[in-house]
Amino acid sequence: MSQIVTRFAPSPTGYLHIGGARTALFSWAYAKSKGGKMLLRIEDTDRERSTEAAVVALINGLKWLGLDWDGEPVSQFGRAGRHAEVARDLVKAGHAYYCYSSPAELDQMREEARAAGKPPRYNGYWRDRDPSEAPAGVSPVIRIKAPPTGDIVVNDHVQGKVVFKSENLDDFIILRSDGTPTYMHAVVVDDHDMGVTHIIRGDDHLTNAARQIVIYNAMGWAVPEMAHIPLIHGPDGAKLSKRHGALGVEAYRQMGYLPEAVRNYLARLGWSHGDDEIFSTDQMVEWFSLEGLNKGAARFDFVKLENINGHYIREAAPAYLYGVMLATAAEIGRQDDVDGLSGNKDTVLSALPELQPRAKTVLELIDLAQFIYASRPLSIDAAASALLTSDARSVLHEMAETLRGLNEWSVPAIDGAMRALAEAKGLKLGKLAQPLRAALTGRTVSPGIFEVMVLIGREESMARLQDQISAA
Ligand code: GLU
């Protein structure tokens, strides 16, 4: 078989939304799995909605997800001349015609169809009429001659054999009176000219596929293989709303998801390889097949995404995570964190292996790292405050005394001293560790508290302790 060519054809309307990202991922994985190419076509014919900023957002979204494409992105708008040429060729070949019907006439046709209990549609008035009858001064549209009878069959890799009745299709417009192509026509001409062999897209385009096949057939072009994937729904089965995750991929980045986790999760959303939940991108490419695409609607589940993200955070190299934490803090405008992270790189790096198992998102990781660079006196969260009772503060005082006497500031030395103190007071070690953690981190969750003390150092530890003792 000749080389597989897929494409991702987003409309630049603001961002790369999560459904589009999944379509891109599948098109990319399929091309990669077959040693083929994925092309990128920006469907920017709607000039009012397509902005340069939206194109940049799309491209950045794809790059962040780690999806690349072959060659330069193609601008659909830039190919308008070619779309018009094909439409005129179709007229010459007798497969399309100029239609001069006025808006009022079209309204009347729709009314008549409705009155006859039929779907409102164009009645083919100009289909076989001689061009000499054309009214003066009217710029015509070009309509394709849709087959009046018979079936149009979409042999879809996901949906199976889908049959559309030709009689339900009217002679739809392929070129507007201003010479611009309709979406339906532009997609076909572009996919053909770009050599696309496989179209993978959302199943909201399935009925378009029937119309597009009419154009392929009229041009005598081979119809590409098609795979229409079910859209993503919310956990309740309803259409995906913002609350459910219908957001741009940059929103996921800002919420602290790693691209490899989003990639893995999106892959699972509508595609499966046995029961595998976690797999690398290489494995996905190796395993990917159109047969693995699911027919049922996928349900977006934040909890699953979080769990997968937690997995990738645990597995990641600290140096990589450090970079992501810094970039995320900067992107969401948390300057204190940017300063703290940049000023304490080595400490953050050595703390990360302790923090990683405790975080599901990069934002949680940043929160967990804040104890390293928090400025004194620490702000103590509500749960930690509740632990700092006056009894606890007097125990803190005793701990401070003991710690001051240590010759060596190391985990074993601190651990030994604290155990001895706990024993002497007839308390469990946890009774000491809890207020200690609250005083030193302002939180009730942190890495091992003795590790924390070594990480932030003797001086800072004693100063934070003293802050809470004096606050009593
Ligand atoms: N531009 C269309 C969209 O963003 C996709 C068209 C296609 O894949 O054929 O929904």
Side-chain angles (χ1 to χ4, degrees):
M1 191 168 179
S2 57
Q3 195 185 35
I4 300 291
V5 181
T6 65
R7 52 43 161 202
F8 176 50
S11 308
T13 52
Y15 52 79
L16 173 61
H17 63 86
I18 202 76
R22 187 187 59 153
T23 303
L25 175 66
F26 289 165
S27 301
W28 177 88
Y30 187 60
K32 288 268 176 273
S33 75
K34 297 284 181 190
K37 288 186 191 175
M38 181 181 88
L39 308 178
L40 176 61
R41 180 172 72 237
I42 308 290
E43 304 217 309
D44 51 358
T45 39
D46 182 341
R47 299 315 285 164
E48 270 167 30
R49 295 178 67 200
S50 308
T51 62
E52 194 47 43
V55 175
V56 170
L58 267 173
I59 287 183
N60 287 344
L62 289 171
K63 283 193 179 153
W64 177 70
L65 263 186
L67 303 181
D68 51 2
W69 55 91
D70 291 274
E72 287 298 309
V74 171
S75 154
Q76 186 160 65
F77 176 68
R79 292 178 38 81
R82 168 69 179 150
H83 303 140
E85 175 186 84
V86 173
R88 294 190 186 109
D89 286 349
L90 281 168
V91 174
K92 277 185 216 134
H95 295 305
Y97 58 93
Y98 290 105
C99 162
Y100 298 86
S101 298
S102 66
E105 287 164 344
L106 293 171
D107 280 348
Q108 198 187 336
M109 283 177 208
R110 285 192 205 103
E111 270 315 307
E112 282 165 9
R114 221 171 273 137
K118 290 187 184 153
R121 65 222 283 275
Y122 180 71
N123 69 7
Y125 184 84
W126 284 96
R127 184 172 169 126
D128 297 312
R129 215 156 279 267
D130 196 281
S132 63
E133 290 183 41
V138 176
S139 307
V141 299
I142 294 182
R143 288 182 183 271
I144 188 118
K145 291 184 180 170
T149 55
D151 291 339
I152 298 170
V153 178
V154 181
N155 279 311
D156 194 88
H157 284 272
V158 178
Q159 313 286 335
K161 182 176 170 187
V162 187
V163 179
F164 293 87
K165 293 268 163 231
S166 297
E167 64 220 44
N168 293 331
L169 298 184
D170 60 359
D171 291 348
F172 57 91
I173 298 175
I174 55 174
L175 201 71
R176 299 191 190 91
S177 57
D178 63 1
T180 61
T182 56
Y183 160 73
M184 206 63 75
H185 179 63
V187 167
V188 172
V189 176
D190 291 347
D191 281 336
H192 171 78
D193 288 0
M194 291 163 73
V196 171
T197 61
H198 288 72
I199 294 176
I200 301 171
R201 62 186 173 192
D203 68 4
D204 49 336
H205 288 286
L206 186 60
T207 51
N208 291 341
R211 289 196 166 78
Q212 290 166 354
I213 287 174
V214 171
I215 305 176
Y216 279 104
N217 290 345
M219 284 303 289
W221 289 340
V223 179
E225 301 288 317
M226 292 183 176
H228 286 93
I229 48 180
L231 299 184
I232 304 175
H233 288 238
D236 52 2
K239 191 170 177 286
L240 199 66
S241 65
K242 280 229 156 89
R243 180 171 57 88
H244 288 147
L247 304 162
V249 292
E250 77 290 342
Y252 289 87
R253 182 173 67 219
Q254 289 164 8
M255 286 187 277
Y257 294 100
L258 296 174
E260 47 277 32
V262 175
R263 218 157 48 218
N264 188 150
Y265 179 64
L266 285 181
R268 279 293 292 114
L269 206 54
W271 174 79
S272 41
H273 179 265
D275 291 330
D276 292 309
E277 289 290 346
I278 303 265
F279 37 79
S280 70
T281 303
D282 285 348
Q283 280 169 322
M284 178 191 183
V285 166
E286 191 188 322
W287 296 336
F288 196 83
S289 72
L290 299 179
E291 289 67 48
L293 291 169
N294 304 335
K295 210 173 163 175
R299 293 188 179 203
F300 194 91
D301 181 347
F302 261 115
V303 176
K304 263 197 184 155
L305 171 60
E306 257 193 11
N307 287 334
I308 292 182
N309 204 50
H311 166 87
Y312 282 94
I313 286 181
R314 285 192 296 280
E315 301 282 300
Y320 162 71
L321 280 180
Y322 174 79
V324 179
M325 289 160 79
L326 205 50
T328 308
E331 185 176 358
I332 61 176
R334 283 175 37 174
Q335 194 53 44
D336 287 353
D337 290 308
V338 173
D339 295 342
L341 292 167
S342 345
N344 296 275
K345 182 171 179 184
D346 291 342
T347 317
V348 174
L349 282 176
S350 42
L352 268 169
E354 286 279 335
L355 307 181
Q356 284 167 245
R358 296 174 164 84
K360 293 235 163 102
T361 68
V362 175
L363 295 189
E364 287 177 12
L365 210 49
I366 295 173
D367 287 347
L368 284 169
Q370 278 168 346
F371 76 83
I372 295 170
Y373 50 79
S375 50
R376 295 183 33 235
L378 253 52
S379 75
I380 310 285
D381 75 19
S385 276
L387 291 175
L388 292 173
T389 57
S390 56
D391 279 358
R393 285 181 205 268
S394 73
V395 180
L396 282 183
H397 182 74
E398 288 180 64
M399 284 190 262
E401 289 298 304
T402 309
L403 291 167
R404 216 165 279 142
L406 283 182
N407 292 327
E408 183 194 309
W409 195 255
S410 67
V411 172
I414 299 171
D415 187 312
M418 290 296 107
R419 274 176 206 280
L421 181 62
E423 208 167 304
K425 296 185 65 65
L427 292 172
K428 289 216 166 96
L429 186 61
K431 278 280 164 220
L432 301 194
Q434 276 182 335
L436 198 54
R437 170 172 288 115
L440 291 173
T441 69
R443 306 282 160 85
T444 51
V445 183
S446 80
I449 193 60
F450 306 143
E451 278 84 2
V452 165
M453 293 164 80
V454 172
L455 275 169
I456 60 177
R458 181 170 206 151
E459 205 181 315
E460 179 71 16
S461 300
M462 294 312 292
R464 289 186 191 183
L465 262 183
Q466 198 52 53
D467 288 341
Q468 294 313 316
I469 295 165
S470 326

